[in-house]
Amino acid sequence: MYSDSTAMKIDLKEETILKGEIINLKKEKNAVLLAHYYQTEDIQEIADYVGDSLGLSQKAAAVDADIIVFAGVHFMAETAKILNPGKKVVVPDLNAGCSLADSCPPDAFRHFIDRYPGHVVVTYINCSAEIKALTDIVCTSSNAIKIVNSIPEDKPVIFAPDKNLGAYVMNQTGRAMVLWDGSCMVHEAFSIEKLLELARNNPEAEIIAHPESESHILQTACYIGSTAGMLKYVQQSTSRSFIVATEAGLLHQMQKDVPDKKLFPAPAIEDNICACSECAYMKLNTLQKLYNCLKNELPEVTVPDEVRLKALKPIERMLALS
Ligand code: 13P
Ligand code: SF4
């Protein structure tokens, strides 16, 4: 059965003390801790809310605490700041970026859009505030199909930055879109050969996958959806075991939800040690850094007002449709 080894990296006594200190600091400073499902188990356990990108955006918009501590990656914290500019938003590690967001630099994207006049620009939330400011409507993996279907059929669409999610949405909606050539290094690291071998050895297991995965992985899946969607699917399915093609952090919450079911992380190409995929950016956040950031209220995530106001509109359009 799946077990998360990350919690073993720090001494148990030290972990308990740090968790206690973080909980006290949260109260003292009227702070709320939001965490993504890809965070390590110790962080997920003391978070006030753990969710997918859509859930985290909805929560961030509604926070009335003074400080939002965002345990996730930069674009997520930036989205929280865009939605709730009156709050101080701090992150454990400012270097926690995203390969997908990095694959779409603003200047190159501006030139790309110019090549397709009259197109509606849909961007996946995994992008920078500057890219959101160039967007008509944002989406997440939970609502991408719904968002694209909400656009009048006679309007041509640009979809960025994830070409894998874009191709999946095209397939599901039957809608041709111009795709930006970006991708997530974690979801592109799954090995189809190793996945099929694992499935052969566990014929009862259902394969479930995040739509950032490549099409040959998605073709093997019984269910495709966001992290929150995958959690729901595993709870509702009558199957007793699953091969999960997404970042391995999700398996912590999943195993809590279905303690009697067997979970296998989908194997990655180069991975001979733990046979799973971890997002190096997400894993930059640690309990110690979380404690430091709450104590010092640093590093802070800020967004210049001009960019923020432009980026807010397409996020609000998405939230209104979600
Ligand atoms: P979710 O919105 O499904 O949580 O995905 C976030 C992400 O970064 C996937 O790699
Ligand atoms: Fe970005 Fe991929 Fe990490 Fe998600 S898993 S934060 S898309 S690099």
Side-chain angles (χ1 to χ4, degrees):
M1 198 162 304
Y2 169 77
S3 79
D4 188 345
S5 60
T6 45
M8 303 303 287
K9 285 179 191 156
I10 99 167
D11 176 80
L12 206 62
K13 194 170 154 202
E14 200 185 342
E15 181 183 323
T16 313
I17 295 170
L18 270 177
K19 281 179 169 171
E21 302 263 8
I22 292 167
I23 292 164
N24 289 342
L25 277 171
K26 275 201 291 159
K27 267 195 216 127
E28 201 181 290
K29 296 192 174 220
N30 189 26
V32 68
L33 172 57
L34 306 183
H36 188 265
Y37 289 125
Y38 294 166
Q39 292 298 281
T40 51
E41 178 178 333
D42 48 7
I43 293 179
Q44 289 192 41
E45 260 154 24
I46 51 165
D48 297 296
Y49 176 80
V50 186
D52 70 349
S53 307
L54 178 63
L56 285 163
S57 308
Q58 288 164 328
K59 273 281 171 223
V63 160
D64 68 356
D66 296 321
I67 301 176
I68 298 174
V69 184
F70 211 114
V73 290
H74 191 262
F75 76 81
M76 296 177 174
E78 210 176 41
T79 305
K81 185 68 185 177
I82 293 166
L83 283 163
N84 213 334
K87 309 300 172 193
K88 184 181 255 190
V89 178
V90 293
V91 290
D93 192 323
L94 213 44
N95 293 317
C98 166
S99 66
L100 184 48
D102 290 348
S103 70
C104 193
D107 279 345
F109 192 56
R110 218 172 273 117
H111 288 126
F112 184 76
I113 295 175
D114 287 347
R115 281 169 44 206
Y116 300 99
H119 284 55
V120 176
V121 180
V122 180
T123 59
Y124 186 35
I125 197 162
N126 296 39
C127 64
S128 66
E130 286 91 343
I131 297 296
K132 290 185 178 82
L134 299 168
T135 294
D136 293 306
I137 185 158
V138 167
C139 71
T140 74
S141 50
S142 300
N143 58 23
I145 294 170
K146 192 174 181 183
I147 298 292
V148 168
N149 276 334
S150 76
I151 299 165
E153 270 177 36
D154 59 332
K155 292 269 180 203
V157 177
I158 288 175
F159 189 95
D162 189 10
K163 63 178 176 191
N164 293 318
L165 175 63
Y168 170 68
V169 173
M170 285 211 286
N171 186 278
Q172 294 298 300
T173 59
R175 184 105 179 226
M177 300 192 292
V178 178
L179 302 183
W180 177 264
D181 186 11
S183 60
C184 158
M185 62 201 287
V186 178
H187 288 85
E188 286 208 329
F190 296 122
S191 157
I192 186 68
E193 291 79 17
K194 288 186 185 177
L195 177 73
L196 292 175
E197 193 188 331
L198 185 60
R200 266 194 307 276
N201 294 335
N202 298 277
E204 72 298 341
E206 279 193 279
I207 300 174
I208 60 172
H210 194 281
E212 284 175 22
S213 310
E214 291 174 284
S215 62
H216 56 259
I217 301 288
L218 297 183
Q219 275 158 21
T220 69
C222 301
Y223 174 79
I224 297 165
S226 71
T227 50
M230 292 164 102
L231 289 173
K232 204 166 155 194
Y233 180 80
V234 164
Q235 281 177 291
Q236 289 172 353
S237 167
T238 52
S239 291
R240 309 298 307 155
S241 63
F242 301 87
I243 299 173
V244 186
T246 194
E247 209 270 357
L250 181 67
L251 278 82
H252 169 61
Q253 183 60 48
M254 204 174 261
Q255 195 71 84
K256 269 174 57 180
D257 291 347
V258 290
D260 300 331
K261 295 191 180 183
K262 209 167 176 179
L263 306 175
F264 302 96
I269 296 165
E270 297 292 349
D271 206 340
N272 295 317
I273 307 156
C274 74
C276 62
S277 279
E278 291 199 339
C279 173
Y281 298 106
M282 287 278 183
K283 267 42 180 191
L284 279 177
N285 297 331
T286 62
L287 266 192
Q288 183 64 56
K289 289 183 196 170
L290 186 54
Y291 169 79
N292 295 347
C293 102
L294 195 46
K295 183 152 181 61
N296 304 319
E297 298 179 24
L298 284 171
E300 189 177 350
V301 172
T302 56
V303 183
D305 252 354
E306 198 196 325
V307 177
R308 190 188 76 74
L309 290 169
K310 284 186 191 152
L312 178 62
K313 285 194 189 112
I315 304 173
E316 283 183 335
R317 279 185 202 120
M318 170 190 78
L319 292 178
L321 281 168
S322 300

